[in-house]
Amino acid sequence: MTRKINLSKIATASTSAINQSMKRYGGICVAGDYRMGRWVSQMTAVEIHAIWERYVERRLITALNHGPSFFLVENDIRGVSRISAGFAAYLVRGGRQFFDFRSFAELLQTGDRLLGRDNNPFRVISNRQKQYVDCLAAIRNLVVHRSDAAAKSYRNQLRAIYGIVAAPEPQEFLNAIDYRSSSPSARMRRLYAFATVVTEVIEGTAR
């Protein structure tokens, strides 16, 4: 019998990893080391995005493992009623070593193709949450790549979500207090908003 993946365990491990990252960052902030706090804020954003990417991959693999019917029917695969974790991983990754996606929109397209729109767990996510996740990706890309394209995407995201026209460096942006009442983490450092939203998305799609 094909083994079913434990979705709850995957989600709990992911949110726990985010909590640990934020505790480390919070400890540095409490210690009052401003320069270190700025640097750690951007590296924590990169870490949270990595946790998110791996969760997304595992969530799609789990969805195929638990509910393969749409994929089997769409691809006219007969005589099979289950998809193993290994085969699901191969399908999600497209034969590569890992699953790569550039935006939430691209993630939704992949989920629809593999699972069907009605069975795509990421379809429950709100537009607001999608915006924050895409903004986190833009921050990560600028920190890691420093390309002109990454800088442009970063500026566009900050303008769209925060109304910031002159975008500061990621470490300054993330370590600053967010005074917007609409923020997921109002009156806290901006990094907390991204940790909060990614945690919400993970918990919301792990059902």
Side-chain angles (χ1 to χ4, degrees), residues 154-170:
Y154 169 73
R155 290 194 299 269
N156 289 341
Q157 289 289 341
L158 261 58
R159 185 181 298 111
I161 299 176
Y162 290 87
I164 295 175
V165 177
E169 283 291 310

Side-chain angles (χ1 to χ4, degrees), residues 107-118:
L107 166 60
L108 291 177
Q109 290 174 0
T110 301
D112 290 352
R113 176 174 55 81
L114 293 172
L115 305 164
R117 187 182 180 92
D118 293 341

